[in-house]
Amino acid sequence: MHTRDIWSIKLAAWLHDPAEKALILLRGVPHEKVTVEKVLEVCFPEGISDSEKRIIRLADRWASAADRPTMPLPTEEKNPDWLKVRFWDKDQAEIIHPLTGRRYTLRDLYQDSWREIERLSVETYLDLIAPQDQGRRGMLGSHREAFLTLWRLLPERDPLGLGHLWSLLPADTRTPWHTIWDHLSLTSAFAGAMAGDPQGNVALMLMSIGPVQSFIEKARSTSDIWAGSHLLSFLSWKAMEVIAETYGPDAVIYPKLWGVPLVDVWLEKNGVKFSDPEPRWRKEKSDSNPLFVAALPNRFVAVAPFSNAQELARTISKKIRDHILNLANKAAKKLLEKVGSSFSHSMEEQIKAQLEDFPEIHWAIVPFGPFVKWDEEGFIDGMEMSELKEALLRFFPAEKDDLPGFLGSDHWRVLRSTLSDQKGFFVYTPNPGVLYPALYQLLDRVHSAAKEARVFRQLTQEGFRCSLCGELEWLTEDRHHLFLTSGKRRDTLWAKIGQRPSPWARKGEHLCAICATKRLWPDIFREWMEEQVGLAVDHFVVSTHTMALGTDLMDLLGREDCVEALGALKDWKAHFKDAARAAMPLKLHRELTSRSLNGWGSELRKLPGLLDLLRERENSDDPKEVESARQMRDDLMKGLEKLLGHKPEAYYAVLLMDGDNMGAWVSGTHPAKMVKYNELFHTRVQEGLSQIPSKEVKDYLSATRCPSPAYHSSISSALNAFALYAVPYIVEELYLGKLIYAGGDDVLALLSVDDCLEAALTLRCAFSGTLPASDKQAIWSLLRWLEEQRQHLKTQVGRGFVFLKNRLFNAMGEFASASIGLVVAHHTAPLQMVLREARKAERMAKSHGRDSLAVTLIKRSGGATQVVVPFGLRGNGVPKETRGETFQQTPVGVLLWLRDVLAREGMSRRAAYTVLQWLSPLSGPKEVADLEGLLSRNLAWQLQRQWSGKEDISQEMRELGEALAEVSLSMGSKGREPVKFLAGLFQVAEFLAREGRARKVRAR
Ligand SMILES: [Zn+2]
């Protein structure tokens, strides 16, 4: 752009349509632009030039074409009535779920006059950028600030009292599946890129940072795992920040940066004033601060001026490398400072060498021109696309005369042929925006090819290797140390660090530059938060022991005689001072801090730490210390047992969740999950379109939808909302868990063994925004307090949306699913092993048809038990002919039901063993018909026989027996052995029912 700054164009482009357009359009007055005209007058008193207007017009057209299916029309009628959707009319306010095509009529929509709507809207825009007290005479800051402010804050204002519907207003009422906000954002992104290129040529850029899994998995503690995932997400933001600085956060089109706390911190530094309500990232002082959530993925797509794209990618790449090098140096300096040494040249060189190839950064750039040609008005000039065809052919070998990739799709075939034949089915002349899917395909493939072609540099490393990764040398002040065997490492940097208990190194640990950076990241990030946000946040260490004890402590706090009872521990008070305060599950933390417990609050926070400390001392070289520590721990455990009335819980659960087929979702290559174009039109328009008697139009409408920017934005906003809001809420507020990380569809959490099944089910439901089809109350009625929480917070899940704390989020929808691996382990089991098992369980859930929960029990006594249970939210896994399909008849429902029956007072503790014994000779291939009656009757009978309670449970046991038989036999159709499945189900249910686990939780 020659005349004006890129940000001015972006601001003007963002203001090309008012947010409330849908509510004004077709009211009989050509008035829908009034709001933005008034705002533009304030922002641009000198007006906007013709060349600027041209860019904005083009950007709007391209953005519209990229996201909206081109509208076919009957040849004889150019302006049929069905095309006029009056969104403000009660029956026509319809929006469509972006990923499922389900439609909703918004019956309570605002019905005020257009004059009033406009007045309120103008006020709201101007309040943000040109306040009243200054007479609205001009903008407060620069065009850049005004743009960033409107982009971030306006979607959250609600000038019309529409509530959350304000944030969902559609861009085009005829295809109401994407919001006006997504459209404005894409328009300003295109406008910025066009203005920045001498030819107005826009490029798509895809960049990725890795490796992800292998980096995160190298971990000794939950803190390491958090640090690995958070550090990667942070670096990813550092990359996107370069784009945000230069071309705006809207220029990153995947992931959606809107509403991401790390991005909000940057926005605030750039003049956006967050005030009402105060964002949580600015006030939350615990590690439940949303800045601790690693929400940003390691891969992003952006638009940029083609002429500058290469340079931009290089700049980003360099910035990332400089940044990580800086962090590593910082970590090393901290370590050296701790032992009283100073940073040396040789260590600087060692760090530099180790970081040469870290992280791996790959990028691809695909411009619109020369693949597409366009005329002065921005319309496609020539339908040949020979360059595009040639480029796609390298990745999509087309059969016979077919065209490759998107160019061979039904969608493009019809669009292209009717345009070249002048049949005139379509309202708009196509512009390059319609080819977004083709360019995206190309981008995706070029990027993968670049990744595969990477060359590894052979790094010379000497001596012994890092204890965490086993690949690199450990950081050392003296290279001779690298050759010392472990017994002789007394003077090494790490030996000195590990001498005293330190979160930076355990005894004997020696780390490389990368692993050290990860290990110290919690401290480095804490400093960052203090600098950037002004918050001092507690250290992040959560012990598995704390997790195991969570429910017991919670129960204790719930007792009326709690403070008196705690008196039993008074002799231990002196010992508590040596122990570290443990990070607690949020619920427990709140309970401990909100009540006056006669000083016991802070002691209880140290209890798990003290137990861990004693266990550590038992590993000492000094036999006396070992003996005294063992004695103390025994005494303390006995004291606790007396206090609680039972043995303290020693098990906890690790949950690992991963969305199914996410790669295919993003690339749009999973036909079964993609809706048809027809499903994206307003019902009224859909009916009109169905009347067009042309085969081409029918083919066009029944073609599978291709990914577009707003499609990607919908996936991204669903994943952002899930990771940033739903998961922390479910894990830490509904249940007694601790979130380690949540990045998009990936979740790692520690849970209490008592309610881990409920937590897994709730997470699965929130991911899709759907509830078990047959029983909408199923999750909420699992636990009494869940029902109360929901009333209190007005939490709702359903129809592809999640409504939480007064915000409405679109979820992934019912076609999406997720698999969960859940491992129940003893708190002393090595974490790395437990995590490996969790990863295995998750893979098991995937390999058993996905959308499943795999539970693994690792008992201390040895041996592991596993069962994989489909969620069956939509009734999958449950035979169709099953009468009265209820939640209890889904596989997960049956597991919960069985666990609760086994946990009941009056049910013999031997019930499960008896059934298992009875089952074992039935193993092996059997005819389903033989098994059905046998299983159902006998299971009911066996359970009934073990019952000594007063009430008559025979009817319930009959039903449970039937449900167990049906569910396990349905596994047969999945190629699994029903009896084996049933045995696994009983073993897991029995373990989770044992020691009153399930009962404790239900009664709370
Ligand atoms: Zn290492």
Side-chain angles (χ1 to χ4, degrees):
M1 193 59 227
H2 323 286
T3 48
R4 228 194 315 229
D5 179 14
I6 240 174
W7 294 92
S8 306
I9 297 274
K10 288 177 69 76
L11 176 60
W14 199 84
L15 288 168
H16 81 277
D17 266 344
E20 77 280 5
K21 186 180 175 186
L23 299 170
I24 306 273
L25 214 58
L26 299 170
R27 291 251 196 178
V29 280
H31 220 269
E32 73 276 3
K33 297 264 186 193
V34 168
T35 298
V36 285
E37 278 161 10
K38 286 189 175 157
V39 179
L40 284 167
E41 269 168 38
V42 175
C43 299
F44 299 90
E46 69 292 358
I48 297 167
S49 74
D50 284 346
S51 67
E52 288 167 333
K53 280 184 184 154
R54 180 180 162 271
I55 292 179
I56 295 166
R57 198 162 58 234
L58 254 59
D60 178 22
R61 278 187 192 145
W62 287 30
S64 306
D67 273 328
R68 294 170 207 171
T70 311
M71 178 80 67
L73 279 186
T75 25
E76 67 283 358
E77 199 183 359
K78 281 297 164 212
N79 200 10
D81 194 54
W82 51 258
L83 206 54
K84 296 176 190 128
V85 175
R86 291 166 185 86
F87 193 75
W88 35 272
D89 193 321
K90 222 176 173 55
D91 299 323
Q92 294 186 31
E94 180 179 82
I95 57 164
I96 296 176
H97 190 284
L99 303 174
T100 65
R102 277 179 72 150
R103 39 206 74 219
Y104 315 94
T105 310
L106 312 170
R107 301 217 176 268
D108 53 351
L109 206 59
Y110 191 82
Q111 301 252 335
D112 224 326
S113 75
W114 56 267
R115 279 179 209 283
E116 184 61 4
I117 292 175
E118 267 167 18
R119 189 184 67 76
L120 293 167
S121 181
V122 172
E123 292 286 298
T124 311
Y125 274 78
L126 292 182
D127 276 349
L128 289 171
I129 52 170
Q132 191 100 52
D133 53 18
Q134 314 235 341
R136 306 234 193 264
R137 268 189 303 276
M139 288 192 328
L140 270 183
S142 61
H143 282 156
R144 187 178 193 264
E145 274 171 26
F147 170 78
L148 294 175
T149 300
L150 287 170
W151 177 82
R152 176 61 184 87
L153 298 182
L154 195 63
E156 277 183 346
R157 299 292 145 124
D158 175 24
L160 310 179
L162 292 174
H164 44 266
L165 298 181
W166 175 253
S167 65
L168 290 179
L169 286 174
D172 182 335
T173 53
R174 294 163 301 183
T175 63
W177 65 272
H178 65 292
T179 67
I180 184 82
W181 310 107
D182 278 338
H183 173 61
L184 297 179
S185 205
L186 186 61
T187 306
S188 58
F190 272 146
M194 286 171 175
D197 185 275
Q199 261 76 51
N201 196 5
V202 178
L204 300 178
M205 176 162 101
L206 198 173
M207 192 172 233
S208 68
I209 296 174
V212 182
Q213 195 124 316
S214 64
F215 179 66
I216 296 174
E217 272 175 3
K218 286 162 196 151
R220 272 285 150 70
S221 66
T222 56
S223 173
D224 281 350
I225 304 168
W226 171 81
S229 107
H230 193 264
L231 178 55
L232 274 185
S233 185
F234 192 83
L235 287 177
S236 212
W237 159 242
K238 284 287 148 196
M240 294 183 244
E241 190 184 25
V242 179
I243 294 173
E245 286 281 349
T246 333
Y247 300 111
D250 52 321
V252 176
I253 53 180
Y254 186 87
K256 188 172 171 173
L257 296 183
W258 188 89
V260 174
L262 260 179
V263 183
D264 284 353
V265 173
W266 174 83
L267 283 166
E268 191 171 57
K269 295 268 171 295
N270 284 274
V272 176
K273 292 177 183 61
F274 292 91
S275 50
D276 181 37
E278 189 172 24
R280 270 183 60 220
W281 54 262
R282 215 165 52 190
K283 55 180 182 190
E284 182 80 54
K285 284 186 187 158
S286 76
D287 54 30
S288 59
N289 186 305
L291 286 170
F292 278 80
V293 177
L296 290 169
N298 71 318
R299 152 195 169 108
F300 61 90
V301 179
V303 292
F306 180 48
S307 54
N308 190 36
Q310 286 280 354
E311 189 52 36
L312 186 65
R314 278 191 211 108
T315 310
I316 294 173
S317 184
K318 175 157 184 341
K319 190 170 169 187
I320 295 296
R321 295 200 185 287
D322 289 351
H323 195 79
I324 187 78
L325 193 61
N326 248 325
L327 292 174
N329 287 338
K330 207 179 231 179
K333 282 174 193 161
K334 277 177 172 299
L335 290 164
L336 291 164
E337 199 184 315
K338 188 95 181 170
V339 300
S341 304
S342 51
F343 198 46
S344 65
H345 179 70
S346 79
M347 191 179 281
E348 195 177 354
E349 289 299 308
Q350 193 191 16
I351 294 172
K352 217 165 137 191
Q354 295 193 344
L355 287 176
E356 192 104 324
D357 281 338
F358 184 85
E360 290 167 21
I361 303 172
H362 301 283
W363 76 77
I365 291 165
V366 170
F368 274 81
F371 295 123
V372 197
K373 296 182 175 59
W374 58 92
D375 63 18
E376 188 55 21
E377 275 306 293
F379 297 120
I380 290 182
D381 194 6
M383 302 297 278
E384 268 317 303
M385 323 275 163
S386 44
E387 280 100 340
L388 183 56
K389 197 170 120 186
E390 206 175 300
L392 282 169
L393 268 175
R394 288 176 49 201
F395 303 102
F396 298 87
E399 284 173 27
K400 292 175 297 170
D401 302 334
D402 283 351
L403 289 164
F406 173 78
L407 295 182
S409 69
D410 281 351
H411 179 77
W412 179 249
R413 190 174 51 75
V414 178
L415 201 58
R416 182 172 172 270
S417 75
T418 60
L419 285 165
S420 12
D421 299 355
Q422 301 294 312
K423 279 192 195 159
F425 282 121
F426 293 98
V427 181
Y428 303 106
T429 317
N431 65 57
V434 296
L435 283 152
Y436 176 88
L439 296 176
Y440 180 78
Q441 273 180 344
L442 193 56
L443 185 72
D444 197 38
R445 300 297 164 110
V446 174
H447 175 261
S448 311
K451 240 173 127 167
E452 273 159 31
R454 69 183 187 264
V455 212
F456 283 111
R457 204 171 42 89
Q458 205 57 46
L459 184 62
T460 321
Q461 296 286 278
E462 301 179 316
F464 288 102
R465 302 299 152 92
C466 163
S467 354
L468 207 51
C469 66
E471 288 159 16
L472 301 173
E473 298 165 353
W474 33 274
L475 280 181
T476 182
E477 295 175 277
D478 178 349
R479 294 197 63 82
H480 294 106
H481 286 173
L482 290 172
F483 300 94
L484 295 174
T485 51
S486 57
K488 292 191 177 145
R489 294 177 197 162
R490 297 220 174 77
D491 289 326
T492 66
L493 166 64
W494 295 98
K496 287 187 242 168
I497 296 276
Q499 254 162 21
R500 255 170 287 161
S502 157
W504 294 347
R506 290 190 188 178
K507 226 174 176 175
E509 259 186 337
H510 282 63
L511 306 182
C512 70
I514 297 175
C515 294
T517 310
K518 188 155 86 175
R519 181 59 61 77
L520 270 74
W521 178 243
D523 292 271
I524 298 173
F525 183 66
R526 235 158 22 118
E527 278 167 21
W528 180 90
M529 276 194 71
E530 226 170 319
E531 255 167 54
Q532 301 287 319
V533 193
L535 275 185
V537 179
D538 276 354
H539 196 39
F540 189 95
V541 184
V542 60
S543 82
T544 51
H545 208 164
T546 314
M547 295 312 303
L549 287 171
T551 307
D552 285 339
L553 293 179
M554 202 69 185
D555 283 350
L556 180 63
L557 295 175
R559 272 162 57 175
E560 271 182 24
D561 65 339
C562 165
V563 175
E564 293 152 51
L566 278 166
L569 292 182
K570 70 175 184 312
D571 293 345
W572 290 93
K573 265 199 167 171
H575 299 286
F576 281 123
K577 69 174 182 359
D578 300 334
R581 270 157 57 110
M584 293 274 169
L586 186 63
K587 259 173 98 161
L588 192 54
H589 167 80
R590 284 188 181 155
E591 197 70 12
L592 283 169
T593 45
S594 69
R595 293 175 43 185
S596 131
L597 292 162
N598 224 353
W600 278 104
S602 58
E603 312 291 329
L604 281 181
R605 294 193 61 153
K606 290 181 173 178
L607 176 66
L610 179 60
L611 288 164
D612 288 340
L613 189 70
L614 293 172
R615 182 172 288 281
E616 216 165 282
R617 283 194 201 145
E618 285 173 46
N619 294 326
S620 161
D621 303 331
D622 176 1
K624 263 194 210 145
E625 197 182 342
V626 175
E627 188 45 42
S628 92
R630 185 170 296 153
Q631 190 60 48
M632 268 174 79
R633 201 164 59 87
D634 277 356
D635 291 349
L636 183 53
M637 290 305 272
K638 276 187 199 126
L640 275 175
E641 191 173 339
K642 215 169 129 203
L643 176 66
L644 298 168
H646 56 81
K647 271 206 165 66
E649 179 62 75
Y651 285 83
Y652 72 106
V654 172
L655 175 143
L656 199 56
M657 173 172 184
D658 185 45
D660 295 328
N661 301 111
M662 288 316 288
W665 268 102
V666 174
S667 59
T669 47
H670 201 308
K673 311 258 180 208
M674 299 294 276
V675 302
K676 309 278 179 244
Y677 276 106
N678 185 35
E679 295 173 76
L680 299 173
F681 290 105
H682 190 284
T683 304
R684 200 176 144 81
V685 177
Q686 215 178 26
E687 280 161 17
L689 288 171
S690 70
Q691 302 301 314
I692 303 178
S694 139
K695 186 183 174 299
E696 278 107 326
V697 171
K698 285 195 170 31
D699 286 351
Y700 175 79
L701 291 172
S702 60
T704 305
R705 117 66 83 105
C706 294
S708 75
Y711 166 80
H712 283 144
S713 169
S714 311
I715 294 179
S716 184
S717 53
L719 297 181
N720 282 352
F722 184 66
L724 284 163
Y725 298 94
V727 177
Y729 170 74
I730 292 168
V731 171
E732 305 212 347
E733 291 188 57
L734 285 184
Y735 299 98
L736 205 57
K738 188 82 196 157
L739 183 61
I740 307 300
Y741 70 72
D745 60 309
D746 273 328
V747 179
L748 176 64
L750 303 185
L751 295 163
S752 128
V753 67
D754 309 86
D755 56 14
C756 58
L757 291 180
E758 285 88 344
L761 175 65
T762 313
L763 284 170
R764 170 67 190 86
C765 289
F767 182 70
S768 292
T770 49
L771 292 167
S774 53
D775 185 357
K776 304 271 182 248
Q777 297 305 314
I779 338 182
W780 310 115
S781 53
L782 285 175
L783 304 165
R784 189 168 50 81
W785 84 82
L786 223 54
E787 180 68 29
E788 284 164 16
Q789 277 267 15
R790 184 171 70 118
Q791 300 295 342
H792 178 58
L793 293 161
K794 296 196 170 53
T795 307
Q796 277 172 41
V797 177
R799 310 210 293 181
F801 289 93
V802 174
F803 181 61
L804 181 59
K805 298 189 178 175
N806 261 329
R807 296 178 74 153
L808 185 74
F809 307 111
N810 82 274
M812 284 296 295
E814 66 208 54
F815 301 151
S817 63
S819 301
I820 294 182
L822 191 67
V823 172
V824 174
H826 193 270
H827 72 87
T828 54
L831 186 68
Q832 260 173 324
M833 180 273 280
V834 177
L835 287 171
R836 231 178 6 251
E837 287 299 324
R839 185 72 59 197
K840 252 195 238 163
E842 184 202 271
R843 271 197 293 268
M844 197 75 147
K846 297 242 182 219
S847 68
H848 282 71
R850 300 193 177 86
D851 199 9
S852 297
L853 169 69
V855 189
T856 305
L857 300 180
I858 307 174
K859 293 187 199 163
R860 202 183 181 200
S861 50
T865 307
Q866 189 174 57
V867 66
V868 183
V869 203
F871 280 107
L873 285 188
R874 282 170 290 134
N876 34 355
V878 180
K880 284 276 171 292
E881 59 277 11
T882 312
R883 60 193 154 66
E885 196 180 280
T886 65
F887 169 65
Q888 284 194 323
Q889 284 165 320
T890 64
V892 167
V894 163
L895 174 60
L896 280 158
W897 187 5
L898 179 62
R899 182 203 64 181
D900 291 346
V901 165
L902 294 177
R904 232 173 259 176
E905 203 114 36
M907 183 56 79
S908 157
R909 297 290 76 106
R910 299 206 40 83
Y913 296 109
T914 323
V915 173
L916 285 169
Q917 263 170 5
W918 172 77
L919 276 176
S920 79
L922 294 177
S923 240
K926 287 270 180 325
E927 285 299 314
V928 168
D930 295 344
L931 273 175
E932 195 160 11
L934 185 71
L935 284 180
S936 150
R937 273 191 310 276
N938 273 287
L939 289 170
W941 182 75
Q942 299 273 0
L943 289 168
Q944 175 74 51
R945 216 160 56 107
Q946 303 289 327
W947 176 249
S948 60
K950 285 200 192 77
E951 16 159 359
D952 177 12
I953 59 163
S954 54
Q955 176 64 22
E956 189 191 352
M957 290 310 104
R958 255 200 306 283
E959 286 168 13
L960 176 58
E962 277 167 23
L964 281 166
E966 267 162 25
V967 163
S968 46
L969 287 171
S970 75
M971 294 300 136
S973 65
K974 292 172 182 287
R976 292 161 65 185
E977 214 182 285
V979 172
K980 220 171 135 193
F981 169 81
L982 208 48
L985 210 62
F986 266 87
Q987 280 168 306
V988 168
E990 187 275 332
F991 188 82
L992 296 177
R994 210 187 276 177
E995 333 251 352
R997 280 172 186 136
R999 209 166 54 231
K1000 268 190 291 193
V1001 177
R1002 289 191 78 84
R1004 194 189 300 150

